[in-house]
Amino acid sequence: MFSVYEIAKPALRKPDAAIFRIDLLAPMSATTLDGTSLLPVGAKTKGVLAILALSERRPVARRALSGLLWSRRSDDQARASLRQEIHRLAEALRPLGTDIIDVQRHTLSLRPVLASVDVERYFNAGPGNILKLPETDGMLAPDLNGIDGAFDDWLNEQRGALRRHLTSVLEQAAQTLADPEHREQAARRLLALDELSETGWRTYLRFLASHGEQAAALQAAAECSEIFRNIRGCEPSPAIVDLISRLRSGRRDADSSEIRRGDDTEDGRGADTSGLAPVRSGSFQEEGLPEGRVLRVEIRALRVLSPDPALADMAQIVTDTLTEGMNRDGLFQMIEPADEPDVKIGQSAGPSPEEALSGRRTDADYVFSGVLRVSEAARKFQGVQRIFLLLRLHDVRRDNALIWAERLELSDGTPEKYVDQVICDATWRILIAESRNILPRLVASLSPLQMAFRALGLLLRNETGAREEAEHLLLKALESEPERPFHYLCLALVLLVQIQDSWEVEKRDWLQRACDAARVLAARLPESAAVRLLLSRALLQDPLRRKEGLALLQNAPVTERRNVFALTQSFAALAEGNASACAQMREDVQSMIPAYPLLLMFRAETVLALFLAGRSGEALRAVREGLAIFPAQSGLMVLFLAIAGTMTEGQDEAELEDIRKRLLFRCPELTTEKILARYNYLCPEHIERLRQGLTASGMPETLGAGVLCG
């Protein structure tokens, strides 16, 4: 879509420095210090001001503004209408006596310091101060609905972003604030935003019970159950169901010791509310993983819904292979189930995955559960046997929250070939879940392993500053634990992502360090697909090692599943000159897993493959989407210029000039020569296509050649 920036976290601005206040939470208002309203009259004029207020004070392209507010008009008509609205906005704000809006030839922006926007205070708020702000439902500018279809879509995206941020912050506040009354207040605000928030209900019910408000707790419990049944058609999580049952039975541990014990932990989850995770001394939430302690994973026995003994054997093969694979890379410690139930094959009385978790105690951090069944419909109507495996992965310390699930067909009777896919996907989900759990915590309280998880979480943000902090954390972690493979995995990944936006020869040491880290990792984890991917990717960046990288990739295992192996093969295809195959494999992965972490981290590679495969229109859309989310990534800007330079139709010269200026502002000494040196692992034909696009876009060939304007 248009390159309007998503809402980010702008820096806090001193309220006494602002002479103009824009409020978007509730009907839109724009006032001076003395309360005089300067809100424009026209809906489109208000729309221009709202877009600028929600764009982090960054310049917004005129093309983006006109596209959002006049999406059904021609470009010329839209630009003319925008010029009129800019004039009207300037007239409306004239009483301020200074220019609040910075109007440039191709962009507009809201000047910093002079104006304040109420939404920014909420985006800057954390768990410790969110309750100091007035309660809000996150409904941005309801009076601006209906201006234009494109604007409505954009505004709804901003509303969703704000609600997600508020929900996340309030969840943290409900779990971490020291004062129980403040936790209760955060829980009530959270439930007002999301009535299906289990964190909100759990905190609210515990508060009522621990303060002796039995009648109110029972009424709230009934309301909680009714809401989940009406909206989701099911009961709440086992943890909440167990808490509600204790409330209704009048047990003492529902309103005293057990709940208070849960409230005293750092995140409010210390109590064994589900019966699954006992409170352990030195648990992750209280003290962090002790040095040397890895994440513990348990695989529960699969529930087999068939009288066929062959399926019982298949279930055992899946369990054994999965256990061996998850234990192979040294990232996890596999533990035996403590008290497996006696399940009879083929009887529906066997426990469901949820029942298998409820009431069970474990020392694991993550637990697999699953079902193996035969499709009776296929057997009856098609005369064939179709076997399906459903696997689920639960975060024990987050009240058995479901973080991953996969459904596989095993009709060929060889489940082993699918397990590598499960291991790759589940490993990523665990690492991502763990990194997100770590991010809210103070760095000073983290163990070396937790620093590495925090670094991974920062990397997933895909921001330049976050990458630098991630590298710093990993170096600190390696000083304390130089033997842990996970640290090298994260370090190699961080360095490879950083290389995408580095063009100077002086920074080529990042490539060498990435190769070194990946080699150490490969020596310790020779069977890991993720490690092969990282090492191969690093080697492909270096023309002197390209053959080694290709050889390593060509030995990667082939699988019918769309996963990290397909990404590995796509790198090989791109390096060998088959951009079409690379683009197709990337699309296959994205269709299966739209938010796959490696795809997002190496988004520029996907754009490059589309462009070199001759699919310039798709590549242009993809790079625009990338720049809308990550506007500071120079790697995406370079590809935008290369793509736009080869297109004869459908390209906005003003947009091209804007991107080129932003790129050269960030990298003033960047030239086509330096860019092509970065992509020297491509075949000569593809190098030449890049050169043609960059030259046509006006990029200087060499330093001192000057910008070429077509």
Side-chain angles (χ1 to χ4, degrees), residues 242-535:
D242 183 65
L243 177 58
I244 291 174
S245 66
R246 294 202 303 272
L247 286 169
R248 289 172 175 167
S249 65
R251 286 171 50 185
R252 287 184 56 82
D253 63 355
D255 60 4
S256 58
S257 59
E258 185 165 346
I259 292 176
R260 290 195 179 103
R261 201 163 57 239
D263 285 342
D264 288 340
T265 62
E266 180 180 342
D267 67 353
R269 287 187 172 128
D272 180 19
T273 56
S274 69
L276 172 62
V279 180
R280 300 187 293 270
S281 175
S283 68
F284 180 86
Q285 291 88 344
E286 293 174 348
E287 299 178 7
L289 294 173
E291 293 189 11
R293 156 89 147 81
V294 297
L295 292 170
R296 295 169 177 156
V297 177
E298 177 183 327
I299 301 176
R300 296 279 164 88
L302 299 178
R303 185 187 186 203
V304 181
L305 300 182
S306 171
D308 187 351
L311 260 68
D313 295 337
M314 186 180 293
Q316 190 61 50
I317 292 173
V318 170
T319 302
D320 293 345
T321 310
L322 185 57
T323 301
E324 179 185 357
M326 293 296 292
N327 192 51
R328 182 174 56 207
D329 291 347
L331 297 177
F332 312 113
Q333 176 188 354
M334 307 303 295
I335 65 173
E336 294 290 334
D339 52 346
E340 286 291 350
D342 182 16
V343 181
K344 295 183 179 180
I345 298 174
Q347 293 191 2
S348 59
S352 67
E354 291 78 9
E355 292 167 343
L357 289 172
S358 180
R360 301 282 298 283
R361 302 179 72 84
T362 181
D363 285 328
D365 303 302
Y366 294 89
V367 170
F368 281 95
S369 64
V371 173
L372 191 65
R373 67 177 184 86
V374 175
S375 171
E376 294 298 331
R379 177 182 293 173
K380 180 176 180 181
F381 298 108
Q382 300 175 354
V384 296
Q385 178 169 276
R386 300 184 65 188
I387 304 171
F388 293 95
L389 170 66
L390 175 63
L391 283 175
R392 296 184 178 95
L393 180 62
H394 302 264
D395 186 340
V396 174
R397 293 160 302 159
R398 297 297 182 266
D399 293 320
N400 305 323
L402 182 66
I403 64 169
W404 173 84
E406 180 68 281
R407 180 176 180 266
L408 303 168
E409 184 172 356
L410 310 180
S411 299
D412 59 2
T414 56
E416 300 94 328
K417 71 177 185 180
Y418 299 101
V419 173
D420 274 335
Q421 158 70 14
V422 171
I423 293 168
C424 288
D425 289 352
T427 297
W428 269 114
R429 294 299 178 182
I430 291 176
L431 298 182
I432 292 171
E434 203 64 27
S435 67
R436 288 174 177 167
N437 292 341
I438 290 292
L439 277 177
R441 301 191 58 182
L442 296 175
V443 175
S445 67
L446 302 182
S447 68
L449 181 56
Q450 289 174 328
M451 289 182 186
F453 276 117
R454 179 179 175 82
L456 181 61
L458 291 169
L459 181 61
L460 292 171
R461 291 182 176 177
N462 232 338
E463 300 169 357
T464 303
R467 296 174 194 167
E468 294 172 356
E469 182 185 348
E471 183 184 0
H472 174 70
L473 286 171
L474 288 167
L475 294 177
K476 287 184 63 177
L478 281 168
E479 288 179 3
S480 301
E481 296 179 341
E483 300 301 318
R484 190 181 290 276
F486 182 59
H487 300 343
Y488 292 97
L489 173 72
C490 293
L491 180 60
L493 194 55
V494 167
L495 292 170
L496 284 174
V497 173
Q498 283 182 322
I499 290 171
Q500 294 185 100
D501 292 314
S502 66
W503 311 97
E504 301 301 327
V505 176
E506 293 78 10
K507 294 185 177 180
R508 294 298 173 87
D509 67 315
W510 284 353
L511 177 57
Q512 181 60 50
R513 291 168 57 207
C515 290
D516 292 344
R519 285 191 188 280
V520 172
L521 193 59
R524 298 180 182 182
L525 305 174
E527 301 299 321
S528 171
V531 172
R532 286 194 296 273
L533 172 66
L534 288 177
L535 180 55

Side-chain angles (χ1 to χ4, degrees), residues 38 40 45 84-96:
L38 299 182
T45 319
Q84 293 178 357
E85 296 303 333
I86 293 172
H87 176 72
R88 290 169 182 165
L89 180 58
E91 285 297 314
L93 303 181
R94 188 178 297 278
L96 290 171

Side-chain angles (χ1 to χ4, degrees), residues 161-187:
L162 178 59
R163 288 177 66 88
R164 289 191 295 272
H165 173 76
L166 291 173
T167 300
S168 175
V169 172
L170 288 170
E171 283 183 344
Q172 295 177 50
Q175 297 166 2
T176 62
L177 292 178
D179 189 333
E181 293 186 358
H182 289 167
R183 291 202 298 273
E184 184 266 345
Q185 186 181 353

